[in-house]
Amino acid sequence: MILLEQICKKYHREGQEIDALKDINIQVEQGDIFGVIGYSGAGKSTLVRLVNYLEKPTSGKVVVDGQCLNKLNKHQLRNTRKQIGMIFQNFNLLESKTISQNVAMPLILEKMNKNEMKTRVNELLQFVGLEDKQMSYPNELSGGQKQRVGIARALATNPRILLCDEATSALDPQTTQSILELLKKINKEYNITIMLITHEMQVIQQICNKVAVMEQGEVIEVGSVLDVFGYPEQLTTKKFVQTVISNKIPSSIKRKLKEKSEKNIYKLEMVGNHATKSILHQLIINYQLHLNVIYTNMAEIQETTLAIWYVQIEGEERTKRAAIDFLERQKVRIKEVTIE
Ligand code: ADP
């Protein structure tokens, strides 16, 4: 488990004080794939580097698997860092070394004997699908293959935690997909906790179970991916969610609604099983309302569905009220919208 408690981080540059992190409180459970999303400069890199103590907090506590990193001496810190692998946007491979030598690097530092090391490197390269590249050099590999080497190297010491610093940002969408699949496999098969930072909501959507949204050094929203995607509170979160699921009525439809001064339009947000239940069908049958579907959008998140519906509900005020109560009981978030 990773615990960040009341973390503040200040930098000093050219006589100015920069508040990179302000009172951060985050808890990452064993087995989580915890995503941190934010625009550039939000503080994500600083945050993730606290976890392996590449950065020290100005104040606050960093606790990894029950150990408070602030209190460890150099030797203890080195041992704890073996439990924490890290991969980077630019892969950080040694260009003059072969792929096998790159992967072996943490094992050489651990002074592992040569035979054991050879077996371990083979095993790791097999796991990431690069067993045929042992004697190649990084410049002979594609971006995706380089990241696989980075991952194999990060896993060499059998860590319990893997930190990913924008690990797919330099990759094309298809390669990103395959690296995300690999990270998921690592999490599932080895029960390794993953903490990743990204500016791409698709990455969060695809593999994370929890997410923290950062802005100007603060965590502005945190929770399960399903909750944050389904019910974003903050404007920045809404903008990120908008990049993977359009939750606004398209302007062409809006124009027509406005021309006809249409009213009684509601936005319904349904998450998880609720999204696939025939709620709207029940609504029509039970309440005999006139229901006109205006716009819908659905996205798959965490192997479940997030659905957004814009509907026009017309009928007697009392019946409508009862129908809205019914929807709320079904955990549908409902809001009347004015077309402007
Ligand atoms: P992100 O990863 O979200 O882009 P960073 O953690 O890199 O954000 O940066 C957060 C803030 O801290 C930015 O204002 C950045 O300029 C500043 N910062 C980061 N590292 C340093 C540093 N070593 N010295 C001074 N300022 C820094």
Side-chain angles (χ1 to χ4, degrees):
M1 187 168 86
I2 303 164
L3 207 61
L4 301 177
E5 257 179 35
Q6 298 180 321
I7 296 282
C8 292
K9 175 73 184 177
K10 290 182 196 293
Y11 290 112
H12 296 274
R13 193 167 45 201
E14 292 163 8
Q16 280 207 320
E17 194 173 82
I18 300 160
D19 280 314
L21 298 174
K22 303 174 209 162
D23 193 23
I24 302 284
N25 293 287
I26 280 181
Q27 186 166 328
V28 181
E29 305 291 342
Q30 179 67 31
D32 273 350
I33 305 187
F34 192 103
V36 178
I37 190 164
Y39 296 119
S40 180
K44 308 181 295 295
S45 291
T46 308
L47 182 81
V48 80
R49 282 158 186 274
L50 287 172
V51 177
N52 55 3
Y53 235 53
L54 286 177
E55 291 283 357
K56 291 190 177 107
T58 308
S59 61
K61 270 203 299 194
V62 181
V63 184
V64 175
D65 286 339
Q67 275 190 311
C68 183
L69 302 196
N70 313 45
K71 291 182 183 157
L72 301 185
N73 62 33
K74 269 191 183 162
H75 174 71
Q76 290 168 319
L77 196 56
R78 210 174 309 131
N79 278 336
T80 300
R81 279 196 180 127
K82 284 182 200 159
Q83 301 290 316
I84 310 170
M86 188 163 187
I87 56 171
F88 307 86
Q89 177 171 2
N90 300 324
F91 323 120
N92 284 8
L93 303 181
L94 296 169
E95 296 293 330
S96 60
K97 303 277 183 199
T98 64
I99 298 313
S100 282
Q101 288 167 334
N102 265 282
V103 174
M105 213 42 87
L107 304 174
I108 295 170
L109 295 175
E110 267 204 349
K111 300 190 171 61
M112 186 183 259
N113 86 49
K114 282 215 165 119
N115 281 341
E116 253 183 88
M117 195 182 318
K118 200 164 176 242
T119 314
R120 180 74 183 133
V121 169
N122 282 345
E123 203 176 86
L124 288 158
L125 286 176
Q126 205 163 353
F127 181 78
V128 300
L130 290 179
E131 55 271 42
D132 56 335
K133 299 287 181 197
Q134 297 198 16
M135 300 316 288
S136 302
Y137 285 87
N139 67 5
E140 298 169 289
L141 265 52
S142 69
Q145 288 171 328
K146 284 184 195 173
Q147 195 55 289
R148 284 172 187 270
V149 179
I151 291 172
R153 182 183 56 188
L155 296 181
T157 52
N158 280 316
R160 284 170 58 79
I161 295 169
L162 180 64
L163 306 177
C164 310
D165 187 347
E166 296 275 7
T168 55
S169 298
L171 306 175
D172 62 63
Q174 206 174 338
T175 314
T176 293
Q177 182 77 28
S178 72
I179 294 296
L180 293 179
E181 288 301 327
L182 181 58
L183 292 177
K184 224 174 176 173
K185 182 170 141 186
I186 290 166
N187 170 261
K188 274 223 168 91
E189 287 188 18
Y190 298 142
N191 192 29
I192 291 180
T193 307
I194 297 182
M195 187 169 180
L196 64 84
I197 65 166
T198 180
H199 62 277
E200 294 169 309
M201 203 63 170
Q202 288 89 337
V203 171
I204 307 280
Q205 176 188 13
Q206 238 157 314
I207 63 165
C208 296
N209 64 324
K210 302 220 186 96
V211 60
V213 184
M214 286 194 72
E215 189 169 49
Q216 294 182 356
E218 288 179 89
V219 170
I220 55 166
E221 212 157 336
V222 63
S224 80
V225 168
L226 217 48
D227 282 346
V228 173
F229 270 71
Y231 312 110
E233 300 284 348
Q234 304 293 327
L235 186 64
T236 301
T237 316
K238 287 179 185 168
K239 281 190 192 160
F240 276 123
V241 172
Q242 185 85 32
T243 61
V244 288
I245 176 164
S246 160
N247 56 12
K248 287 190 178 154
I249 303 177
S251 49
S252 57
I253 302 179
K254 220 168 172 180
R255 219 174 20 250
K256 284 181 195 143
L257 293 170
K258 200 174 167 197
E259 274 166 18
K260 293 185 185 162
S261 307
E262 297 286 8
K263 294 206 169 41
N264 300 316
I265 294 167
Y266 294 84
K267 181 183 183 186
L268 315 183
E269 288 167 294
M270 300 172 243
V271 172
N273 292 333
H274 305 293
T276 44
K277 270 194 205 162
S278 53
I279 287 179
L280 298 183
H281 177 70
Q282 287 180 50
L283 196 69
I284 299 169
I285 301 288
N286 296 348
Y287 296 92
Q288 294 172 1
L289 288 160
H290 183 81
L291 202 100
N292 181 22
V293 176
I294 289 167
Y295 176 69
T296 72
N297 205 338
M298 290 176 111
E300 192 201 13
I301 302 159
Q302 289 281 292
E303 292 172 10
T304 179
T305 322
L306 164 65
I308 291 171
W309 292 69
Y310 281 93
V311 292
Q312 191 172 36
I313 306 177
E314 287 179 314
E316 262 184 39
E317 208 45 48
R318 209 158 48 96
T319 321
K320 226 164 66 181
R321 190 63 252 161
I324 289 169
D325 285 349
F326 162 75
L327 287 172
E328 284 171 345
R329 281 200 304 279
Q330 304 298 313
K331 294 202 170 63
V332 175
R333 195 186 253 201
I334 179 161
K335 194 172 87 182
E336 186 164 8
V337 288
T338 339
I339 306 296
E340 294 169 317

